[in-house]
């Protein structure tokens, strides 16, 4: 599955969730809270990283919480693992969505990816401005891994 196909799948999930919430009469603020809960649920499902990977080198700075990210090459594709501390419920959900969209793609595709799903699901409307900076740091780190593993200039 391509990065864009994965993004379209994520958009469809959030659209379906929003439509279901509208049907039961939730207003916009209630729908935003439910989407935040959904993102936290996704974070809880993210497999834990080995403690040995939870290092300062793997930490994503700029996040409101402590979040780690690693990358490994396998069969010419880049695979990501991420985790967060006990306070990183939303951040873990965000990194899980990014991992879902980008993991398993070729490094050059990751480096050059247009992550349009972030805007399409309205992520900025249900995460705080402080978390928006963390989101940008996560995206940049993943793209940097893509550049590194594809041999592109930083």
């Amino acid at each position: 599955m391509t990065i864009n196909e994965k993004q379209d799948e994520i958009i469809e999930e959030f659209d379906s969730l929003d439509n279901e919430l509208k049907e039961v009469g939730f207003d916009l603020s209630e729908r935003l809270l439910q989407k935040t809960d959904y993102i936290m649920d996704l974070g809880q499902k993210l497999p834990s990283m080995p403690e040995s990977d939870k290092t300062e080198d793997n930490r994503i700075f700029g996040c409101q919480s402590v979040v780690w990210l690693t990358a490994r090459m396998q069969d010419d594709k880049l695979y990501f693992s991420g985790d967060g501390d006990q306070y990183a419920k939303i951040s873990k959900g965000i990194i899980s969505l990014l991992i879902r969209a980008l993991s398993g793609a070729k490094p050059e595709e990751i480096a050059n990816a247009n992550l349009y799903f972030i805007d399409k699901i309205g992520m900025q409307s249900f995460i705080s401005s402080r978390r928006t900076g963390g989101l940008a740091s996560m995206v940049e780190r993943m793209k940097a891994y893509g550049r590194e593993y594809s041999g592109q200039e930083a």
Side-chain angles (χ1 to χ4, degrees), residues 86-104:
Q86 65 187 10
Y87 306 107
K89 293 177 182 177
I90 293 174
S91 297
K92 275 183 72 169
I94 293 168
I95 197 72
S96 75
L97 283 171
L98 293 170
I99 289 170
R100 181 174 162 194
L102 296 174
S103 202

Side-chain angles (χ1 to χ4, degrees), residues 94-149:
I94 293 168
I95 197 72
S96 75
L97 283 171
L98 293 170
I99 289 170
R100 181 174 162 194
L102 296 174
S103 202
K106 292 183 182 274
E108 57 274 5
E109 294 169 339
I110 293 166
N112 299 310
N114 170 18
L115 296 177
Y116 58 85
F117 85 93
I118 294 167
D119 289 332
K120 293 277 188 183
I121 66 171
M123 194 177 295
Q124 284 80 0
S125 64
F126 52 89
I127 63 172
S128 69
S129 59
R130 287 172 50 194
R131 284 201 177 89
T132 301
L135 169 62
S137 296
M138 291 176 200
V139 169
E140 178 49 37
R141 173 68 68 88
M142 294 174 98
K143 287 185 168 217
Y145 275 126
R147 290 189 301 271
E148 176 186 337
Y149 281 92

Side-chain angles (χ1 to χ4, degrees), residues 11-22:
I11 293 165
E12 188 175 308
E13 277 177 30
F14 275 82
D15 285 347
S16 292
L17 175 61
D18 197 51
N19 289 335
E20 287 174 26
L21 295 170
K22 281 181 191 174

Side-chain angles (χ1 to χ4, degrees), residues 10 40 48 74 82 109 113 136:
I10 292 168
M40 288 191 292
S48 293
Q74 181 179 330
E109 294 169 339

